[in-house]
Amino acid sequence: MTDSMNCKYCREDLSGKKYVKQEEKPVCVRCHDKFCANNCTECRRPIGIDSKELQHKGRYWHADCFRCYKCYKPLAKESFSAKDDRIMCGKCSSREDAPRCHACYKAILAGSENVEYKGNVWHEDCFTCYQCKKPIRSQSFLTKGTDIYCGPCHEKKFAKTCVSCKQAITSGGVNYQEQPMHSECFVCNSCRKPLAGTRFTSHEEKAFCVDCYKTTVAKKCSGCQNPITGFGKATNVVNYDGNSWHEYCFNCKKCSLSLANKRFVANGGDIFCSDCAKKV
């Protein structure tokens, strides 16, 4: 037996036995595992001469230990990536780097349908109405605080209700006597013509257009017999003994002197100034 066939460490005779060479000297399998072999990063055991060894950035693995740390998929023959000294398969790596859904907090993978709004992102099916819980998808939506609502739910919950038709007012609208109405619902009580944006007046809490007010509601002036509407020159009215006059029609029967805010005398249904009354 020659010294050249003895194990470098334990001096065992290696004639006819399996061994490896280190620095041109034979080393038995047992001593190789104990003194020479790299330890597996995953299982911490020596990587023996009969095991396939994988190496990445100064670290070593048994081929069977080289797996994705998330899903444990073997990666000896697969592409991989490393993050924070952990090995991941391509799928898990893309999930790890993907943005998180604002609702379910799961990863939103590249290419999947999603919704972005005010710096947050959702899976398409997670972007739902706060009220009915149905996905918004391609519908328009409205917000209240941080809550998202589909159009119908927002209308039902927050929109004003028209006092006339009892339906939600989604845009525009008018207020009459502190009551909200659709513009098209705010109509003349007599002819039903829309009043929004036009002149109108009220009588006994009902709205009338100018024409209907003149013909159906307004008192007739005892002087000119025309309706007293309260518009234009007819703003001021004189009332006396159950009769009404336009202010500009309340004149002396004889001399036509205006008697508004002046002393007058009534005689036989006619109005006279003090001077003319003495001559009648």
Side-chain angles (χ1 to χ4, degrees), residues 19-183:
Y19 65 92
V20 295
K21 280 192 173 184
Q22 186 188 42
E23 298 178 354
E24 300 301 321
K25 293 182 179 181
V27 178
C28 69
V29 173
R30 185 176 63 254
C31 288
H32 174 272
D33 290 351
K34 185 176 180 180
F35 299 111
C36 304
N38 295 310
N39 288 327
C40 176
T41 299
E42 181 64 26
C43 70
R44 306 301 180 183
R45 296 176 181 175
I47 303 173
I49 61 175
D50 292 327
S51 299
K52 183 176 180 180
E53 180 181 86
L54 298 178
Q55 184 267 344
H56 176 67
K57 292 187 176 180
R59 298 189 298 159
Y60 303 87
W61 290 262
H62 294 104
D64 291 341
C65 291
F66 194 67
R67 297 171 178 269
C68 174
Y69 96 96
K70 296 281 286 186
C71 68
Y72 302 108
K73 176 183 178 181
L75 297 177
K77 296 181 180 180
E78 303 286 341
S79 60
F80 66 91
S81 63
K83 184 176 182 180
D84 298 330
D85 291 333
R86 291 175 171 176
I87 303 300
M88 286 183 286
C89 65
K91 187 174 182 179
C92 288
S93 178
S94 63
R95 286 182 175 178
E96 190 79 6
D97 296 332
R100 297 284 167 174
C101 175
H102 192 63
C104 70
Y105 304 107
K106 294 180 180 179
I108 299 177
L109 300 180
S112 62
E113 296 293 334
N114 62 81
V115 178
E116 292 187 30
Y117 178 67
K118 286 192 173 181
N120 294 317
V121 61
W122 291 258
H123 294 108
E124 186 179 56
D125 289 342
C126 291
F127 191 67
T128 59
C129 172
Y130 180 79
Q131 188 74 17
C132 67
K133 308 304 181 185
K134 294 179 180 179
I136 301 293
R137 293 197 172 93
S138 59
Q139 300 179 66
S140 60
F141 63 90
L142 300 100
T143 61
K144 189 71 172 180
T146 58
D147 299 326
I148 307 294
Y149 292 87
C150 64
C153 285
H154 189 274
E155 289 178 11
K156 185 176 180 180
K157 190 173 180 67
F158 300 110
K160 292 181 178 180
T161 301
C162 176
V163 296
S164 177
C165 69
K166 310 305 180 185
Q167 300 298 312
I169 301 174
T170 57
S171 62
V174 297
N175 278 308
Y176 176 64
Q177 295 181 341
E178 298 184 357
Q179 298 293 327
M181 282 187 276
H182 294 108
S183 296

Side-chain angles (χ1 to χ4, degrees), residues 209-253:
C209 67
V210 173
D211 291 338
C212 288
Y213 184 81
K214 287 179 179 179
T215 58
T216 63
V217 178
K219 292 180 179 181
K220 297 295 189 296
C221 175
S222 296
C224 68
Q225 302 304 311
N226 290 320
I228 299 175
T229 62
F231 300 118
K233 289 176 62 180
T235 300
N236 296 323
V237 180
V238 177
N239 294 300
Y240 173 70
D241 198 23
N243 295 317
S244 298
W245 289 262
H246 297 110
E247 185 181 72
Y248 55 81
C249 291
F250 193 63
N251 301 323
C252 174
K253 176 71 173 178

